[in-house]
Amino acid sequence: MNNASIVIGIVIVALVIRRQLRTRPVHGKGGVVLLGILGLLGVLALVFGVASVVKEHPLGGATIALVAVCFLVAAGFGVVRARTVKVWRAPEGQLLRKGAPATTALWIVSIAVHVGLDKWIDHTTRTGLLGASTVYLYLAVTLAVQDFLVRRRAASVA
């Protein structure tokens, strides 16, 4: 992972955390745009990452399993973080949400785990940039799961 990718990743995560710690409506549309961009970037980066490995040798079973685990871990962190987001109805009737300090802590742990998985994936390939290429899709998966569960919980408050 080069320095520019690290800086971009830190900026994206910082913006996501900042956004989640602000009180905002549950059914805002800003998250859909962010998820779409991250998802598209994620798929493109993953294709590039796979191509960077397969030009040297085929992907091994361990590598494929670790990439799958990476996205399962992303979903798991989304589930856990969703439980830390407070959801309530304002006196005006609007559904609101706001992350807690635990949300931030879980984001930091989630990113640290992802970096470790990236290194492990790249260790199994011994070439290319497959591990680093999973970051955008990891963020898209973890955000999508968290957002889905927060919205579902909000529907029960309604």
Side-chain angles (χ1 to χ4, degrees):
M1 186 179 269
N2 64 32
N3 289 338
S5 296
I6 292 169
V7 170
I8 291 169
I10 289 170
V11 168
I12 289 172
V13 171
L15 290 173
V16 166
I17 291 172
R18 180 176 172 252
R19 185 170 181 262
Q20 291 196 2
L21 294 176
R22 300 170 82 189
T23 300
R24 58 194 172 96
V26 171
H27 298 292
K29 295 198 180 301
V32 174
V33 172
L34 177 62
L35 286 174
I37 291 169
L38 285 174
L40 178 62
L41 286 173
V43 169
L44 293 173
L46 189 62
V47 167
F48 172 77
V50 168
S52 74
V53 173
V54 298
K55 71 180 181 184
E56 300 291 327
H57 56 78
L59 288 176
T63 302
I64 294 168
L66 281 172
V67 170
V69 165
C70 177
F71 298 127
L72 290 172
V73 166
F77 272 108
V79 168
V80 175
R81 274 195 326 275
R83 293 180 180 180
T84 68
V85 176
K86 181 180 176 188
V87 177
W88 73 97
R89 184 172 296 284
E92 308 83 39
Q94 187 178 28
L95 286 169
L96 300 173
R97 69 197 283 170
K98 183 178 181 179
T103 312
T104 300
L106 286 165
W107 266 108
I108 292 167
V109 171
S110 173
I111 296 305
V113 168
H114 182 261
V115 168
L117 285 167
D118 281 356
K119 301 286 186 206
W120 196 4
I121 290 167
D122 284 343
H123 177 73
T124 65
T125 64
R126 294 188 182 92
T127 186
L129 302 168
L130 182 56
S133 74
T134 63
V135 68
Y136 296 119
L137 205 49
Y138 181 93
L139 290 171
V141 168
T142 197
L143 275 171
V145 169
Q146 178 182 333
D147 190 58
F148 171 78
L149 293 173
V150 168
R151 288 175 190 259
R152 194 169 98 186
R153 207 170 76 223
S156 69
V157 171

